Amino acid sequence: MSKAKKKKEGISRLMELAGTKKKGLTAACTLSVLSSVFKIIPYFTIYGVLKEIIRCYSAGDKFAFGSVSTLVIITAVSALLYGICAYSSAMLSHGAAFDILYELRMKLMEKMGRISSGYYTANTQGSIKKLLIEDVEQIEVFIAHSMCEVASAIATPLFTIIVLFIVDWRLTLVSLLPIMLSFVILGMALKKPDGAKHQKNMADCKAKMEGTIIEYIHGMSVIKIFGGTKKAFRRYETDMNAFTKSVHDTAYYNANGMGLYYAFFGAQVLFLLPAAIIMLGSSAGYADVLPKILFFLVVCSGLKEPLENMMNVSIDSTKINVGLKRIDDLLEQPEITLIGEGKTLTQFDIGFDKVSFAYDGSGIKACDEVSLNLPQGSCNALVGPSGGGKSTIAQLLLHFYEIGSGSIKIGGVDIREVTHSELVKNIAYVFQDSFVFSDTIENNIRMGNTEASFEQVRAAAEAANIAETIEALPDGYQTIVSDSTGLSGGEKQRIAIARAILKNAPIVVLDEATAYADAENEAKIQDAFSKLSKGKTVIMIAHRLKTIQNADNILVMNGGKLAAVGKHDELMDKCELYRDMVNANDRRDSWTMRRLSYDKA
Ligand code: ADP
């Protein structure tokens, strides 16, 4: 049986993602290693100078600068080269990190445009945001800083130990002994049977506490209205206490092991001094032993930092693995099919042929063997009870999802043979919840056609019945849309319609766009729709049945099936479901009228 190719992780996966920037990154790491060498050399030369001073002192000679001048020059040059290498390494690694980040973000964005919309249903907005911002950012920090630190964290202790061995192998072994012991203790502490259980408990308590905080903030208005502040706060307090307890438990559990680890890790002096006393007593003489002891005391205390860095880097690399996995998960999502090179659409009639589709994991057919034919330039209304499959039809036409069986054609061309950009260029979609970006109103409308002049933007706003409202704002078309702009839902809806009018696409899809608008807004929106729809192939997902009675085709969707097709009068005759819906709508409208006149009285 052939083994599946093992997926790369950590640094090797990062190097894969680095792509063309790998060379820059390798150069940065090499320079970082070189900088570690130049950082160690001065310790060695200073040891030489020290040795010469003590030799002169014990021999009663006059100290001559000439005897150490070469060492001093080497020290100065090394310090200079250290600075140059460290600086160049940081510049290169930061440059590479931002280039890699740019490429990765573009890759993720492009990928997001090519995958099925099911991904967005399965993953919350929060988790996608976390992926695109935090996970990618973490990679930048790792590449720009930690990656070179890895190189230096390995090289520095290695070169230091080599230098220590050159100076005196016995003192080297003595100073390494406590470090070795501390690592053994750490290993034993990490392997303790309940360690993982404590860590998991701490992570679970933290996640629960964060969940409660988010729920508390989101539900604040409801909590206030129903006076549940104290109760909700008590839950938050309980979760916070549980988290604090889990942190204490974990800390106590690890206290002995970690305490011993830190005690040994920094205890070289305790081991070095007795060894030095023994060496001094056993002949070698002060002039030889003293500079060595001083050298070891200074250098060994500096060994702690790079060794700790080495451990931190290995912790960091485990952390980025979680983010890398999420990034890979997105990069590996199956893409929406494109058969061939991508055809151009020239005709705009719409045909569904026995189309069936179920959302991932739902098991229910949201679209069940649906066949329909909508002529170019016709106005078509999709009606039916909630959950009937109306929005699904619209989303399938946009190729947001891959259908299970059947085919969808525009102008006789299967949408799987059309690129995403060609498809969306020809369809204007006004969503139920129109999204307005936090940008100027002009730019929000211009998104429909980036080439449009300001006059065209204005004309679109006028056609959408929103120009007057925009011009009444202090900054007019330059107003940045935000929560404080004070635009109502209906007004935002009309900005979205202006965007669609400017796009001037031959197919228009309107999704229950007037469902929640007030009477005045609805009239304005309806008027804007008429202008947007003129001469286009229109699919309108209708909530208010009165507005679609003149449609060329009314398609009744129920339980994912196309229950009936026809004009209003035909359907009133032959389709019981449609008749019931129209009657229910009439009753609701007259109830609203009665209620309004009662309120006014
Ligand atoms: P309508 O627009 O007529 O209200 P939809 O097309 O939204 O109906 O829904 C049709 C069916 O598909 C319903 O059973 C609904 O619960 C289900 N559905 C809709 N969107 C999703 C989704 N993103 N994931 C899973 N099921 C969905």
Side-chain angles (χ1 to χ4, degrees):
M1 203 171 66
S2 69
K3 269 190 192 165
K5 199 178 157 204
K6 198 172 177 297
K7 272 209 237 161
K8 288 192 178 167
E9 283 186 359
I11 296 178
S12 45
R13 176 66 185 127
L14 267 185
M15 285 310 248
E16 227 173 29
L17 284 175
T20 53
K21 304 291 174 283
K22 208 171 2 191
K23 276 187 192 153
L25 216 50
T26 316
C29 291
T30 313
L31 283 167
S32 175
V33 171
L34 276 177
S35 75
S36 314
V37 176
F38 292 123
K39 196 173 165 187
I40 306 296
I41 290 175
Y43 286 110
F44 202 47
T45 49
I46 287 166
Y47 164 67
V49 174
L50 210 62
K51 213 165 119 180
E52 178 60 14
I53 293 170
I54 293 175
R55 188 199 61 77
C56 290
Y57 180 75
S58 57
D61 294 347
K62 196 169 179 291
F63 176 74
F65 179 74
S67 60
V68 292
S69 57
T70 319
L71 291 175
V72 173
I73 292 168
I74 294 174
T75 310
V77 172
S78 299
L80 185 70
L81 288 174
Y82 163 72
I84 293 172
C85 288
Y87 175 79
S88 319
S89 164
M91 292 301 281
L92 273 174
S93 64
H94 276 80
F98 285 109
D99 286 347
I100 293 167
L101 223 65
Y102 172 78
E103 278 179 15
L104 185 59
R105 281 211 167 109
M106 292 304 284
K107 210 165 156 179
L108 288 169
M109 287 299 183
E110 280 165 16
K111 180 77 190 186
M112 285 174 78
R114 292 195 302 264
I115 59 177
S116 154
S117 295
Y119 177 81
Y120 303 102
T121 317
N123 294 277
T124 59
Q125 268 187 28
S127 70
I128 298 173
K129 193 175 121 197
K130 183 170 165 23
L131 188 158
L132 290 176
I133 298 174
E134 289 176 33
D135 292 343
V136 176
E137 212 89 331
Q138 210 172 34
I139 288 180
E140 186 274 318
V141 175
F142 192 82
I143 295 174
H145 303 272
S146 310
M147 198 94 157
C148 290
E149 272 172 26
V150 178
S152 144
I154 296 170
T156 310
L158 198 75
F159 290 133
T160 311
I161 291 168
I162 292 173
V163 168
L164 290 177
F165 263 107
I166 295 171
V167 174
D168 192 303
W169 66 270
R170 293 157 306 176
L171 287 177
T172 308
L173 290 181
V174 170
S175 46
L176 287 182
L177 192 65
I179 294 177
M180 302 288 190
L181 276 173
S182 70
F183 282 148
V184 172
I185 291 165
L186 183 67
M188 280 163 60
L190 292 178
K191 272 195 180 157
K192 269 170 79 179
D194 287 341
K197 207 175 87 187
H198 278 283
Q199 289 292 344
K200 188 177 175 308
N201 182 35
M202 199 164 71
D204 289 348
C205 289
K206 187 167 179 257
K208 191 160 179 248
M209 182 184 70
E210 285 170 354
T212 311
I213 296 173
I214 292 169
E215 201 180 293
Y216 186 64
I217 295 167
H218 278 195
M220 185 51 88
S221 48
V222 180
I223 291 169
K224 279 193 163 176
I225 289 167
F226 292 97
T229 324
K230 266 189 193 160
K231 196 174 159 214
F233 188 74
R234 213 172 299 133
R235 252 186 64 206
Y236 168 50
E237 200 181 10
T238 312
D239 290 347
M240 208 163 59
N241 284 337
F243 174 61
T244 313
K245 185 175 175 309
S246 72
V247 174
H248 281 162
D249 288 350
T250 314
Y252 283 130
Y253 185 77
N254 291 323
N256 292 345
M258 293 310 282
L260 278 172
Y261 158 72
Y262 281 114
F264 275 100
F265 194 68
Q268 284 95 347
V269 178
L270 284 183
F271 284 68
L272 270 174
L273 282 181
I277 292 166
I278 295 168
M279 278 171 80
L280 279 172
S282 68
S283 82
Y286 284 82
D288 181 41
V289 178
L290 207 57
K292 281 183 186 172
I293 293 171
L294 288 174
F295 175 72
F296 269 79
L297 284 176
V298 173
V299 175
C300 285
S301 62
L303 199 60
K304 239 177 96 178
E305 194 194 318
L307 281 173
E308 268 176 348
N309 278 349
M310 207 156 94
M311 274 171 39
N312 290 340
V313 163
S314 76
I315 293 168
D316 282 355
S317 68
T318 340
K319 268 196 217 156
I320 61 153
N321 256 338
V322 180
L324 272 177
K325 210 187 146 296
R326 271 194 291 259
I327 288 173
D328 278 340
D329 213 41
L330 172 55
L331 291 176
E332 282 160 15
Q333 287 293 316
E335 292 183 10
I336 289 287
T337 323
L338 173 65
I339 302 167
E341 290 298 296
K343 289 186 177 166
T344 309
L345 296 174
T346 50
Q347 296 294 313
F348 300 99
D349 55 290
I350 297 166
F352 275 52
D353 184 23
K354 290 189 178 158
V355 174
S356 290
F357 166 76
Y359 288 98
D360 270 350
S362 75
I364 303 166
K365 277 194 180 165
C367 191
D368 192 359
E369 299 251 318
V370 172
S371 292
L372 48 89
N373 210 337
L374 314 177
Q376 178 163 344
S378 62
C379 177
N380 310 278
L382 280 175
V383 301
S386 177
K390 306 180 292 291
S391 303
T392 305
I393 294 273
Q395 296 192 29
L396 291 180
L397 177 67
L398 277 147
H399 208 177
F400 279 179
Y401 297 92
E402 215 60 83
I403 53 173
S405 60
S407 69
I408 301 173
K409 290 181 179 167
I410 296 177
V413 179
D414 194 311
I415 58 167
R416 285 171 290 202
E417 293 178 288
V418 180
T419 60
H420 178 69
S421 55
E422 174 68 10
L423 193 65
V424 294
K425 189 180 93 189
N426 288 295
I427 303 177
Y429 194 157
V430 180
F431 293 87
Q432 190 177 119
D433 235 344
S434 287
F435 194 77
V436 185
F437 292 87
S438 99
D439 197 344
T440 61
I441 294 180
E442 181 182 344
N443 285 345
N444 260 292
I445 299 176
R446 202 189 289 279
M447 280 181 75
N449 174 10
T450 47
E451 306 290 307
S453 66
F454 177 70
E455 275 320 306
Q456 286 170 309
V457 169
R458 216 176 151 272
E462 238 156 51
N465 290 331
I466 189 67
E468 221 175 281
T469 313
I470 299 173
E471 280 153 25
L473 294 168
D475 293 325
Y477 286 86
Q478 300 316 311
T479 308
I480 305 278
V481 184
S482 68
D483 288 343
S484 60
T485 316
L487 289 171
S488 71
E491 285 162 347
K492 285 185 185 163
Q493 182 76 275
R494 279 180 276 146
I495 290 180
I497 297 172
R499 186 192 288 160
I501 289 176
L502 195 64
K503 187 170 179 181
N504 195 22
I507 298 174
V508 174
V509 180
L510 306 168
D511 192 350
E512 287 188 342
T514 59
Y516 306 110
D518 56 51
E520 191 198 336
N521 255 316
E522 190 189 343
K524 285 183 177 169
I525 292 172
Q526 285 303 340
D527 182 57
F529 277 166
S530 322
K531 290 175 192 155
L532 167 65
S533 310
K534 217 175 224 163
K536 311 282 164 61
T537 312
V538 178
I539 298 182
M540 182 190 278
I541 299 171
H543 208 69
R544 311 237 164 141
L545 299 187
K546 267 210 170 117
T547 56
I548 50 102
Q549 289 184 359
N550 294 326
D552 300 316
N553 285 305
I554 299 172
L555 302 104
V556 186
M557 289 293 298
N558 189 18
K561 285 188 187 294
L562 183 58
V565 188
K567 290 194 183 287
H568 173 72
D569 294 339
E570 277 175 69
L571 290 176
M572 286 300 277
D573 274 349
K574 70 174 187 191
C575 181
E576 196 185 336
L577 175 61
Y578 183 74
R579 204 166 39 238
D580 287 349
M581 282 165 53
V582 171
N583 291 338
N585 251 261
D586 285 348
R587 273 199 304 278
R588 194 188 62 199
D589 286 351
S590 66
W591 180 85
T592 312
M593 289 307 292
R594 275 207 310 275
R595 173 89 208 153
L596 279 173
S597 44
Y598 170 79
D599 282 348
K600 275 182 193 157

